[in-house]
Amino acid sequence: MTSGLWLVCTLVAVIGSAYALLAATLVARFAAGKKPALRDAEDVTLLKPLHGSEPELDSNLNSFCAQAYAADIQMVCGVQDPCDPAILFVQNLRAQFPNSDIRLAVGSKPNLGNPKIANIINMMPNAAHDVLILSDSDMKVEPYYVAEIVAALQQPEVGLVTCLYRGRAVGGIWSRLAAAAVDQHFLPSVVVGLHFGLAQPCFGSTIALRRETLQRIGGFDAFADALADDYEMGAAVRRLGLKVAIPPNTLGHTFADASFSQMISHELRWARTIRLVDPMGYAGSIVTHPLPFALAALPLSGFSAIAFMILAATLASRLFVPIQVERLPGGGKSALLLSPLRDLVSFAVFVASFVPGSVSWRGRRYSVETDGSVTPL
């Protein structure tokens, strides 16, 4: 039995190491990808649902206003509570960019399971332009972000544009570990899935589409109770026979996790969401966790020389991934020294995600139904 367990752990470690080398190679190819050219600068409305005084919120919002773009850019921000401290950030933004069209919507559509979508529905009457770019409040972008997104949306048969993102830590070790989860696990896995046609993602980092396309998929109301609202929007656009484009530019996802529990709470919500969206693919992602199996093979083999060699090869292959990811814009310097710890924590989250339970978002807890809908607790 011990030899059988050793063989299983060794096989997973070897396959996982080969996968890591493949992922690193494909990330490098993604980073070198060609971006589409902008044919015509179209007027754009940026939709920014806000909630609370988030770390780096001022810097994140500023990056969306400081765009090198030849047409009009309107920004519509939305909060649900008239006492929300994010309102002050919007007021400051207006003072810094007095010539920009920056609007604020306060309130939300009641009795909806997804508070983010409820916020967005309340914002939509303020949206003036045909091209809509929805993005999460914790994203930071480069000056040519809008131009690159519109260029991708102008390509033939493209109905929606979304973007990959890198981790951007603005705190201590917990925020660095949280950012490393994106750089070392999430982003490489998506790139591999896209290359082999195994993934059809859509991310809250960017959801850009035309107003006509939004109306054809039922508007934002159609996703009012969905946990994975971003994924569901992408799936709805694909059902129209249109493409979801992912151009080779990455944004910065701000992480400011101050504690282990805060980090785990976020990651469990993401993991359970991904498991609901793609259960078979998520189960197969066990090969992205070779380090725990290489460590388990050590005592099972009696600490043999070959087990140590496999462990060393596993560590080296896993470190190759963040080295390649660092070539992409948006994030900070890769936390190479934290990589082994990050791998062990990610495996623990992977295992815990199969345990039934609620999810936490914005300080509230929600039960998740089998169809992916959510109900506030």
Side-chain angles (χ1 to χ4, degrees):
M1 183 176 179
T2 300
S3 61
L5 287 174
W6 173 82
L7 179 60
V8 170
C9 290
T10 300
L11 283 174
V12 175
V14 171
I15 294 172
S17 298
Y19 170 88
L21 295 175
L22 171 65
T25 302
L26 294 179
V27 166
R29 185 180 300 178
F30 178 81
K34 185 178 180 180
K35 299 176 182 178
L38 180 68
R39 296 199 305 264
D40 180 36
E42 305 178 56
D43 295 343
V44 169
T45 292
L46 303 176
L47 299 173
K48 302 295 293 187
L50 306 177
H51 179 85
S53 178
E54 297 180 355
E56 299 290 309
L57 180 58
D58 53 348
S59 178
N60 294 341
L61 292 176
N62 283 3
S63 70
F64 283 86
C65 289
Q67 290 292 303
Y69 190 64
D72 290 340
I73 298 178
Q74 176 200 37
M75 178 181 285
V76 179
C77 302
V79 296
Q80 300 178 69
D81 186 348
C83 297
D84 195 311
I87 294 176
L88 178 60
F89 288 87
V90 178
Q91 293 171 344
N92 292 338
L93 195 68
R94 285 170 169 168
Q96 294 178 56
F97 297 91
N99 296 323
S100 297
D101 182 5
I102 302 173
R103 304 187 190 184
L104 176 65
V106 180
S108 68
K109 194 170 182 178
N111 303 320
L112 299 184
N114 189 319
K116 172 183 170 183
I117 297 298
N119 193 358
I120 296 169
I121 292 173
N122 190 60
M123 296 160 55
M124 279 301 293
N126 292 277
H129 303 308
D130 176 60
V131 176
L132 307 171
I133 303 179
L134 168 65
S135 57
D136 291 339
S137 58
D138 50 14
M139 293 294 160
K140 188 172 184 178
V141 297
E142 302 293 326
Y144 291 96
Y145 164 79
V146 170
E148 291 171 349
I149 297 304
V150 174
L153 190 60
Q154 291 174 346
Q155 299 308 298
E157 299 181 8
V158 170
L160 185 149
V161 179
T162 191
C163 289
L164 277 167
Y165 49 89
R166 287 196 56 202
R168 176 173 167 266
V170 294
I173 185 172
W174 303 120
S175 63
R176 293 174 62 196
L177 275 174
V182 170
D183 287 359
Q184 300 178 24
H185 286 271
F186 171 76
L187 187 152
S189 296
V190 173
V191 171
V192 172
L194 289 172
H195 179 78
F196 290 103
L198 301 174
Q200 293 186 324
C202 183
F203 310 114
S205 58
T206 292
I207 297 177
L209 72 174
R210 300 186 184 279
R211 192 184 296 267
E212 178 191 3
T213 306
L214 178 63
Q215 292 171 347
R216 290 178 65 190
I217 62 175
F220 289 111
D221 298 76
F223 314 97
D225 295 318
L227 173 62
D229 52 86
D230 44 9
Y231 172 84
E232 296 294 345
M233 287 183 203
V237 169
R238 290 186 178 97
R239 286 194 293 270
L240 297 177
L242 300 174
K243 298 177 182 177
V244 174
I246 304 181
N249 59 314
T250 49
L251 319 185
H253 185 302
T254 304
F255 287 93
D257 301 69
S259 66
F260 176 79
S261 62
Q262 185 179 6
M263 179 187 73
I264 292 298
S265 176
H266 294 162
E267 294 184 6
L268 267 178
R269 175 171 62 85
W270 295 332
R272 285 174 175 156
T273 301
I274 296 171
R275 181 173 61 82
L276 282 169
V277 166
D278 184 14
M280 294 301 294
Y282 184 75
S285 68
I286 192 171
V287 298
T288 66
H289 304 281
L291 182 57
F293 291 92
L295 288 171
L298 279 177
L300 291 172
S301 70
F303 297 94
S304 65
I306 188 172
F308 275 106
M309 292 174 61
I310 291 173
L311 176 60
T314 300
L315 285 169
S317 63
R318 286 297 303 152
L319 288 174
F320 192 44
V321 173
I323 290 174
Q324 295 302 317
V325 170
E326 196 171 309
R327 298 175 57 189
L328 294 167
K333 192 170 180 61
S334 296
L336 294 180
L337 294 179
L338 294 176
S339 183
L341 176 59
R342 177 64 262 180
D343 282 359
L344 296 177
V345 173
S346 292
F347 182 67
V349 171
F350 173 80
V351 173
S353 68
F354 288 93
V355 179
S358 59
V359 297
S360 177
W361 189 79
R362 300 288 195 184
R364 296 185 63 183
R365 300 196 67 80
Y366 300 83
S367 64
V368 183
E369 310 303 330
T370 56
D371 62 354
S373 63
V374 290
T375 303
L377 296 178

